[in-house]
Structure formats: structure tokens, C-alpha cells
Amino acid sequence: TLGRRPGRYGLVHRAADLAPVARIDPPAGRHLTGHGTFSADGRRFFTSENDPIADRGIVGIHDVAAGFARVGEWASGGVGPHDLALTPDGRRLIVANGGIGTDPATGRDLVDRATMRPNLTLIELERGEIAAQADLGADLRLSSIRHLAVAADGEVAFGCQFEGDAADSPPLVGVWRPGRAAPTLWDMPDPALARLADYVGSVALDATGEIVAASSPRGGNAAFFERASGRFLGLGAMADVCGLAACGDGGFLATSGAAGVRRMAPDRVDGALDGLGEHVWDNHLTRLPTAG
């Protein structure tokens, strides 16, 4: 559990019973931005961090065996890093640099809309060097890239939060294939795009890797796309929907702070699952591998 808005600390929980086993504290003057991921071998844990005084993003490196002690850091390749994800081979880290600088006093209030330039950065884990970067271009520089989902073939699906005039409403969801092409944003019909309220809170792939889902808690809808073509498949309405994770039998589980947990797919939204509606669910959902 990593803090945000801004995050001054994180807690590591044991999966079996959620008991806290370690605490993560960023260096003085830094703050966490809500996301982290393990290395493929499980020996390191990476955190996205912001240095508001220097107006730069950081990837913190933690030694799992040493109780998640901080052992180093890398530049994230931009400003305001948020989501982190490994490439399928486990050798590189993908960083969604949102491009948003914040007031050092609060760690949250935006200060640099005039200079925003979000990007996707690929970091080599062996040496911490930047291997590739891509941005959305000057026309879409106010589209803060925030959340990621990586397919088995290495293609990265991403979602944006638009910081410009609501009347402009650019596309919010797209894909990037590192080393091959610039990012591509997918079109949606205007009425459907309006229901995302310029805000994507989570991105996920279904179990096949063929369908991309992007949630909007502000809009109360999740959008679905065919990854191979970028074709828009439809919306699923759910108040405050944000957390998304693939279901093993198809579709997605979706969580909400207001409407419990539901199964969703491009062609359906099921009723709330029994026994889960009494909980208030936060932004993200991760499917854990089962033992054996």
C-alpha cells in the first residue's frame, strides 16, 4: 500500500493475512505517488516518487530481503511519475511520467501546466539507463499519462487524465510498442468519450490480452477496446468505478468506492457480488497469482 496525494510512506503487507511486515519511507523532501512493482525475481521493489523541489521524477529501489530498505534510485525520465510496470522479459521498467509538477509545500497542487510534457519511459534494470522514451506530441501535452497495462507481446496500453479545457476532450486511451512506433491514441464516439469526463483511473487487459478496459471514476463508466485494432467496443456504467483486473473466466472485475464489486465486459455489467458491497474500494485492483 503506497501513499499518494502526496504519499509520505508506504506499507508492505503479507498476502496471506494482510499483516503489515515493512514500511517504505522516501527520503526527506520526496513523496510517493501511489504505485510500485517488484522485479521479476522478487528481489527488488520499485516505487514511483516525486521530487517537487527539483521538479523531477524518481524511481526508488528497495531490497526486499533487507526489509524493503532503500538501496538506490534512478531518474524516472520525466516529471510526476505515476504507474510502473515491467516488460514481459523482466529486463526493463516502463514508467508513466505524468508531466505534472507540484507545489513543494503540498506535493499536490499543479504548478506547471504551461510546461507539461508527459511521456512513457523505458528503463534498463541492469544499469538504470533510459533505453527509450515517447510522448504524445505538443498538441496533447496536457494529457497526463498515468496508468499502464502491459501485454504479453510487450505492447503497453495506457490511460490519460486531461488537464486542459474540458471543451477540448482529446482521446484518453492508447497503446505504445517500445522501439517500434510512437504512441497511438484510440478514437471514441464523442458521447462515449464525454462519459469518461477527461479522466482515466485504471487500465487493464483481459485474460486473453485482446481487450483493454479503462475506468473513469469521475465519469462513472469503464470503456472497452479491441487491442489489435483500437476499435471501441462500448461502455459499462458503474458509479465511481476505478479498480480493474482480469477475471480468469473472461471479462474484468471492477471495484468502486460507492457500488461494491462487479463483473464487467464489453457487452455486460453484472450485479454487485455478494459480501463485497459493504467495503469501500480504493483506486486499483491487482490479481495475485495462486500457489501451485
Side-chain angles (χ1 to χ4, degrees), residues 105-206:
T106 65
R108 182 160 177 80
D109 297 326
L110 308 190
V111 296
D112 70 345
R113 277 191 179 87
T115 58
M116 272 183 65
R117 196 75 182 217
N119 70 48
L120 293 160
T121 294
L122 192 68
I123 298 175
E124 294 278 1
L125 294 185
E126 184 176 348
R127 294 179 298 276
E129 297 175 352
I130 293 174
Q133 286 188 304
D135 64 36
L136 304 180
D139 290 345
L140 293 173
R141 66 175 189 81
L142 295 180
S143 295
S144 179
I145 304 171
R146 307 288 280 175
H147 295 103
L148 307 170
V150 183
D153 62 5
E155 188 168 61
V156 182
F158 63 90
C160 301
Q161 297 172 7
F162 183 57
E163 298 293 339
D165 190 328
D168 293 336
S169 294
L172 298 171
V173 185
V175 288
W176 177 51
R177 191 173 290 274
R180 294 193 185 179
T184 299
L185 284 161
W186 292 331
D187 291 329
M188 296 174 61
D190 288 344
L193 180 60
R195 293 185 182 182
L196 298 186
D198 289 332
Y199 190 99
V200 167
S202 290
V203 177
L205 294 158
D206 75 340

Side-chain angles (χ1 to χ4, degrees), residues 79-102:
V79 175
H82 199 62
D83 206 356
L84 307 171
L86 288 182
T87 55
D89 62 9
R91 296 170 58 189
R92 297 175 175 183
L93 184 71
I94 305 157
V95 183
N97 285 299
I100 297 176
T102 54

